[in-house]
Amino acid sequence: MDRILEQNLLYDFYGELLTEHQQRVYEDAVYNDMSLSEIAGEQGISRQGVHDLIKRCDKILQDYESKLHLVERFMAAKEKIGEIEQLTAEDTTDPEERMRRIRELSRSLLKEW
Amino acid sequence: MDRILEQNLLYDFYGELLTEHQQRVYEDAVYNDMSLSEIAGEQGISRQGVHDLIKRCDKILQDYESKLHLVERFMAAKEKIGEIEQLTAEDTTDPEERMRRIRELSRSLLKEW
């Protein structure tokens, strides 16, 4: 997965577990695409300090994911929901067959949770 | 929501963030339906100690949920997937209409994530 996308996802799930200061810096770097120097100037810390803080946040967020696997669970579910959505739009397959496939996918989603 | 069901769900999502000792005691109480005295005997701690530990775990798990709302997000998604599953089984409504409704539900799920 693309690094920025991965950081976005992890932050979306676990970002609230970071401190407010960490959140501010991490959001500036990952969401607002600011440079280390810009963030350093804004936060009144060194460029190296910003760099270390971001690395530390990456590690914290990855540790939560390696314990909880919730991003992974969500992504797997999202893929199946994407398949369902595609099946509703497809018009080359028999509707009965599409409905049967949608039922299978939705049941497997319900079972996993 | 039923308390045991809520404890189960919260533990299913965030249980890995408890210590191993907390996990053992909490599982005995919530999953294995053991009494406080039974757990106390097994773990070599007082009945009151078990009681306090379970309350503390409840609080930790609820705090994670109040920050992350992931159980809430999952449950809301699950409800929509349940609707999709029901629509595939229903045979009183026009199939085109059911397909349209399934498309709406799956798209709204994809958009929320």
Side-chain angles (χ1 to χ4, degrees):
Chain A
M1 203 189 306
D2 172 66
R3 175 146 184 274
I4 287 284
L5 176 62
E6 195 195 343
Q7 285 179 316
N8 262 298
L9 265 171
L10 289 172
Y11 186 79
D12 179 39
F13 274 73
Y14 307 119
E16 283 298 316
L17 300 174
L18 301 176
T19 68
E20 278 185 39
H21 177 59
Q22 288 172 329
Q23 286 179 34
R24 267 198 307 276
V25 173
Y26 204 77
E27 283 183 19
D28 280 346
V30 173
Y31 284 98
N32 306 332
D33 197 29
M34 283 166 67
S35 71
L36 296 182
S37 308
E38 284 175 304
I39 303 171
E42 204 192 64
Q43 301 289 333
I45 48 179
S46 69
R47 203 177 159 288
Q48 182 64 40
V50 176
H51 176 263
D52 293 348
L53 192 146
I54 292 168
K55 279 201 84 130
R56 166 133 183 75
C57 290
D58 280 339
K59 170 88 169 64
I60 295 171
L61 298 175
Q62 276 156 4
D63 284 351
Y64 280 116
E65 175 62 8
S66 74
K67 283 188 177 162
L68 305 185
H69 307 284
L70 294 173
V71 174
E72 189 186 315
R73 273 169 85 177
F74 259 91
M75 294 308 282
K78 193 168 178 168
E79 201 172 300
K80 283 186 182 165
I81 294 163
E83 277 184 65
I84 290 175
E85 199 266 338
Q86 282 189 354
L87 281 162
T88 65
E90 204 186 281
D91 55 8
T92 50
T93 320
D94 172 44
E96 284 296 319
E97 171 56 21
R98 283 150 61 202
M99 206 61 100
R100 196 191 58 72
R101 195 66 199 109
I102 292 171
R103 185 175 314 137
E104 263 179 25
L105 284 162
S106 57
R107 285 193 180 157
S108 91
L109 278 163
L110 292 169
K111 226 167 75 182
E112 280 160 27
W113 293 352
Chain B
M1 203 189 306
D2 172 66
R3 176 147 182 273
I4 287 284
L5 177 61
E6 195 195 341
Q7 286 179 314
N8 263 298
L9 264 171
L10 289 173
Y11 185 79
D12 180 37
F13 274 73
Y14 308 118
E16 283 298 318
L17 300 174
L18 301 176
T19 67
E20 277 184 39
H21 177 59
Q22 287 172 330
Q23 286 179 33
R24 268 198 307 276
V25 173
Y26 204 77
E27 283 184 19
D28 280 347
V30 173
Y31 284 97
N32 306 332
D33 197 30
M34 284 167 66
S35 71
L36 296 182
S37 308
E38 283 173 305
I39 302 171
E42 204 192 62
Q43 301 289 333
I45 49 179
S46 70
R47 203 176 159 288
Q48 182 65 40
V50 176
H51 176 262
D52 294 347
L53 192 147
I54 292 167
K55 279 202 84 131
R56 167 133 182 75
C57 290
D58 280 339
K59 170 88 170 64
I60 295 172
L61 298 175
Q62 276 156 4
D63 283 350
Y64 280 116
E65 176 62 7
S66 73
K67 284 189 178 163
L68 305 186
H69 306 284
L70 294 173
V71 174
E72 192 185 313
R73 274 169 84 179
F74 258 92
M75 295 309 282
K78 193 170 179 167
E79 203 173 296
K80 284 187 182 163
I81 294 163
E83 277 183 65
I84 290 175
E85 198 265 339
Q86 281 189 355
L87 281 162
T88 65
E90 205 186 279
D91 55 7
T92 51
T93 319
D94 172 46
E96 284 296 320
E97 171 57 21
R98 283 150 62 203
M99 207 60 101
R100 195 190 59 71
R101 195 68 199 107
I102 291 171
R103 186 175 315 138
E104 264 178 26
L105 285 162
S106 57
R107 285 193 179 158
S108 91
L109 278 164
L110 291 171
K111 224 168 77 180
E112 279 161 28
W113 293 353

